[in-house]
Amino acid sequence: MSTLELLEEHIVFDGTQYKYRHESQTLACSMTFSLFLPNKEKFSNPPLLWWLSGLTCTDDNFTHKAGAQKAAARLGVAMIMPDTSPRGEDASDSEDFDLGQGAGFYINATEQPWASHYKMYDYITKELSAIAHGRFQLTGPEFISGHSMGGHGALVIGLRNPERFQSISAFAPIVNPSQVPWGIKAFSEYLGNDKENWREWDAMELLKHDTSKKIPVLIDQGDADPFYEKQLQPAKLAAVADAENYPLTIRMQKGHDHSYYTIASFIEEHLEFHLAQLATNQ
């Protein structure tokens, strides 16, 4: 397991916010991630929320803008925030904001030049998970959440690992990437032109074909989000969930947009949602 370099440590409410750097074997580059831990004396083995951020973001966006630490400290929830893609001079990039660095889409790329570094799914579910579980002894229940591209990532990772994650939540997720411009562009580059290979990275396809264990999902979508109709289309996922009798709740939030103001408005309710599912399952 790689050596961790502590970059930041901040006391915030009744917990501590950390930022680390390490050399990722999976991504073959240096990566950062952020970690919030509630008071260890009160919560010796807290549940863990994985947060996946959206296009152009890093692990800092959530820690700086979401205001989640106060609720997480009160509720006793640890939170881990990976970066959104490989980084550095060796990792392939693009001048476009929706491809390359900052746009890893939480998948395992199979096409060059991306395949050498862009293995974000394996990085999160294996390498960074081993760090969370081993180095920080976070071995309790796990939830996953995210925003936009990260909402897509949360849905895909959660649906592909229903035995691991107790519940999923998302803000303005890309629910059907194989059918919208952001996803088509990324999948064509990262996965190639055979669309059969896209299905395992598309939440709608996963919901249709693999619902052996159904875990609760909460989505918040602002009706003033400029990407709502063209890129996000949550109603399509709702229709599939209805057909499959899947426990999905979509809340349309009047006047809310695609920004972290929306996330800050409802993140406490998302944390409470995850804990409520945990209580139900115990």
Side-chain angles (χ1 to χ4, degrees), residues 150-196:
H152 143 75
L155 288 167
V156 167
I157 293 174
L159 291 170
R160 288 181 59 158
N161 297 275
E163 301 299 327
R164 174 175 172 180
F165 295 99
Q166 304 290 315
S167 49
I168 305 167
S169 73
F171 292 83
I174 305 169
V175 303
N176 190 197
S178 61
Q179 298 296 323
V180 299
W182 279 340
I184 292 171
K185 180 177 181 178
F187 284 13
S188 297
E189 286 280 339
Y190 297 150
L191 302 173
N193 293 322
D194 184 352
K195 293 188 177 181
E196 283 298 309

Side-chain angles (χ1 to χ4, degrees), residues 237-250:
L237 189 66
V240 174
D242 285 345
E244 300 291 337
N245 195 28
Y246 203 92
L248 167 69
T249 300
I250 296 181

Side-chain angles (χ1 to χ4, degrees), residues 55 84-86 92-94 96-120 149 152 182-194 197-198 201:
L55 288 166
T84 55
S85 77
S92 298
D93 200 6
S94 168
D96 298 336
F97 79 95
D98 52 355
L99 186 69
Q101 295 189 29
F105 270 81
Y106 305 101
I107 66 176
N108 288 337
T110 57
E111 301 297 304
Q112 294 296 355
W114 312 103
S116 298
H117 294 276
Y118 283 71
K119 306 284 188 184
M120 287 299 293
M149 177 188 73
H152 143 75
W182 279 340
I184 292 171
K185 180 177 181 178
F187 284 13
S188 297
E189 286 280 339
Y190 297 150
L191 302 173
N193 293 322
D194 184 352
N197 297 329
W198 299 10
W201 306 109

Side-chain angles (χ1 to χ4, degrees), residues 200-220:
E200 63 182 311
W201 306 109
D202 189 307
M204 273 190 56
E205 295 299 324
L206 292 171
L207 211 63
K208 287 178 186 176
H209 301 295
D210 187 12
T211 57
S212 55
K213 181 180 180 183
K214 300 177 180 179
I215 57 177
V217 181
L218 171 66
I219 291 174
D220 273 328

Side-chain angles (χ1 to χ4, degrees), residues 5-234:
E5 178 187 359
L6 178 62
L7 302 177
E8 297 182 26
E9 180 177 353
H10 309 283
I11 300 298
V12 54
F13 299 106
D14 195 18
T16 309
Q17 180 69 59
Y18 301 94
K19 184 181 177 74
Y20 290 94
R21 178 164 52 218
H22 73 117
E23 293 299 320
S24 168
Q25 306 260 326
T26 304
L27 305 180
C29 66
S30 178
M31 292 293 288
T32 62
F33 67 91
S34 294
L35 175 71
F36 174 80
L37 295 177
N39 188 317
K40 293 179 182 178
E41 294 183 0
K42 293 181 180 177
F43 307 102
S44 59
N45 190 24
L48 176 63
L49 177 79
W50 289 81
W51 173 269
L52 309 182
S53 292
L55 288 166
T56 75
C57 292
T58 70
D59 50 305
D60 288 334
N61 291 76
F62 183 79
T63 60
H64 294 179
K65 296 180 179 181
Q69 291 93 341
K70 184 175 183 178
R74 176 178 64 83
L75 296 168
V77 177
M79 302 184 295
I80 190 165
M81 292 70 75
D83 200 352
T84 55
S85 77
R87 300 287 178 175
E89 293 182 1
D90 292 337
S92 298
D93 200 6
S94 168
E95 294 182 355
D96 298 336
F97 79 95
D98 52 355
L99 186 69
Q101 295 189 29
F105 270 81
Y106 305 101
I107 66 176
N108 288 337
T110 57
E111 301 297 304
Q112 294 296 355
W114 312 103
S116 298
H117 294 276
Y118 283 71
K119 306 284 188 184
M120 287 299 293
Y121 178 84
D122 280 354
Y123 172 69
I124 289 169
T125 60
K126 296 178 181 178
E127 185 175 9
L128 192 54
S129 292
I131 291 172
H133 300 159
R135 291 287 180 85
F136 298 103
Q137 299 301 302
L138 293 167
T139 58
E142 294 179 272
F143 324 116
I144 192 163
S145 186
H147 172 231
S148 193
M149 177 188 73
H152 143 75
L155 288 167
V156 167
I157 293 174
L159 291 170
R160 288 181 59 158
N161 297 275
E163 301 299 327
R164 174 175 172 180
F165 295 99
Q166 304 290 315
S167 49
I168 305 167
S169 73
F171 292 83
I174 305 169
V175 303
N176 190 197
S178 61
Q179 298 296 323
V180 299
W182 279 340
I184 292 171
K185 180 177 181 178
F187 284 13
S188 297
E189 286 280 339
Y190 297 150
L191 302 173
N193 293 322
D194 184 352
K195 293 188 177 181
E196 283 298 309
N197 297 329
W198 299 10
R199 296 164 69 92
E200 63 182 311
W201 306 109
D202 189 307
M204 273 190 56
E205 295 299 324
L206 292 171
L207 211 63
K208 287 178 186 176
H209 301 295
D210 187 12
T211 57
S212 55
K213 181 180 180 183
K214 300 177 180 179
I215 57 177
V217 181
L218 171 66
I219 291 174
D220 273 328
Q221 172 65 60
D223 67 1
D225 188 326
F227 307 113
Y228 168 50
E229 293 186 359
K230 186 174 182 180
Q231 304 280 10
L232 307 177
Q233 305 175 355

